[in-house]
């Protein structure tokens, strides 16, 4: 696949007023989400839940793509239509999570490195045949005491760059996600420093590994105070700090940046994205790739009664997609 084709996929992912829904929870992670609403974590419930999300009427108005998990990309609707067909017919790009999750970084207690490079070339080629147009790899950076170490940042960014190069070889747009966790009592300035150092290391690694930035999407965490910080960040502070940090570290040739929600409330995640876009124009489109901030309201409805609340859960997904789509344009208003 040519760089032009990768570039056009990347541009479609961040088309004006559109963003990504992340539904790529591993079977362990979805268990935590299902447990919270009392849904047994069976393969059929996971399939039924993802069918509810992906068949939301009008989903394609504000959603350009969905990130799936290995099990999900092979699944179909109850009527037997593959999820990837439902998506491609609706103009929603199938994405696939390809990392194997974060593991303890040997020699650095409390720090994590994401694994999954072994055999990745073959897995990517299979996913491309199954219809995947983009992929995701998430690195996790923890702020705590002296952490993160430079070693942790570099090890994760090196892996992200190796993954990204393999994606492009397979004709898949890499979404590179170095998530600086919200966990902890750090303030917004500490988050800024760590995020800037991480992004600088990431783009240095991407450059070293010959990754074409024009065919790459960054999935970033916002710059904000940790969950346990006594001084919580206001929307305007998050927007100012995040934009300043991105401008300091992210090349303008990148076709787009999407944010994770990382445990923010639905409304905070939407308001922050909206405030950033109101400050635009920026060198790149800024949109969303939310998991929890797209799903949590819908999941709790669906979990109460899968059959009776099917349509109202879908209406909730559509509502969250619209709110975030408007925020991607800087046109969202509270209570919309
Ligand atoms: P959250 O928006 O729930 O953080 O999930 C996004 C995601 O895909 C993290 O990798």
């Amino acid at each position: 696949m040519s760089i032009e084709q990768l570039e056009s996929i990347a541009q479609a992912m961040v088309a004006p007023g559109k963003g990504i829904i992340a539904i790529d929870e591993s079977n362990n992670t979805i268990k935590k989400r299902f447990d919270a609403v009392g849904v047994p974590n069976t393969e059929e419930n996971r399939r039924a839940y993802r069918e509810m999300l992906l068949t939301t009427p009008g989903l394609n108005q504000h959603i350009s793509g969905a990130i799936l998990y290995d099990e999900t990309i092979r699944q179909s609707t109850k009527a037997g239509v593959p999820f990837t067909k439902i998506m491609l017919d609706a103009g929603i790009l199938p994405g696939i999570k390809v990392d194997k999750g974060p593991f303890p970084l040997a020699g650095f207690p409390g720090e994590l490195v994401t694994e999954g490079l072994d055999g990745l070339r073959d897995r990517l080629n299979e996913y491309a045949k199954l219809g995947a147009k983009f992929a995701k790899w998430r690195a996790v950076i923890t702020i705590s005491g002296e952490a993160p170490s430079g070693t942790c940042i570099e090890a994760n960014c090196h892996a992200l760059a190796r993954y990204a190069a393999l994606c492009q070889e397979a004709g898949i747009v890499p979404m590179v996600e170095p998530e600086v966790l919200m966990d902890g009592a750090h303030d917004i300035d500490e988050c800024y420093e760590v995020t800037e150092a991480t992004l600088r290391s990431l783009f240095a690694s991407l450059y070293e590994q010959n990754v074409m930035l024009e065919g790459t999407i960054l999935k970033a965490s916002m710059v904000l105070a940790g969950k346990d910080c006594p001084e919580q960040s206001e929307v305007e502070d998050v927007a100012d700090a995040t934009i300043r940090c991105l401008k300091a570290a992210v090349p303008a040739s990148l076709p787009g940046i999407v944010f994770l929600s990382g445990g923010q409330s639905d409304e905070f995640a939407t308001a922050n994205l909206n405030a950033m876009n109101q400050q635009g124009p920026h060198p790149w489109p800024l949109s969303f790739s939310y998991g929890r901030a797209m799903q949590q309201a819908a999941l709790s409805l669906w979990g109460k009664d899968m059959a009776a609340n099917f349509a109202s859960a879908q209406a909730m997904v559509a509502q969250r997609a619209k709110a975030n789509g408007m925020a991607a344009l800087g046109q969202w208003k509270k209570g919309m």
Side-chain angles (χ1 to χ4, degrees), residues 20-25 29 33 67 97 99 136-140 175 177 179 182 219 259-264 269 288-296:
I20 311 273
I21 180 168
I23 58 167
D24 59 328
E25 298 85 0
T29 302
R33 310 277 186 261
I67 317 174
K97 183 232 297 291
D99 66 70
K136 180 189 107 173
W137 177 291
R138 170 175 173 260
V140 177
M175 176 186 270
E177 179 183 16
E179 175 174 4
M182 274 171 71
K219 177 158 176 168
F259 293 99
L260 58 98
S261 60
Q264 298 179 35
F288 61 94
S289 174
Y290 295 157
R292 283 162 284 181
M294 272 296 304
Q295 296 179 56
Q296 51 210 359

Side-chain angles (χ1 to χ4, degrees), residues 274-297:
N274 189 60
M276 284 188 253
N277 278 308
Q278 283 186 334
Q279 293 185 7
H282 302 300
W284 342 257
L286 299 180
S287 190
F288 61 94
S289 174
Y290 295 157
R292 283 162 284 181
M294 272 296 304
Q295 296 179 56
Q296 51 210 359

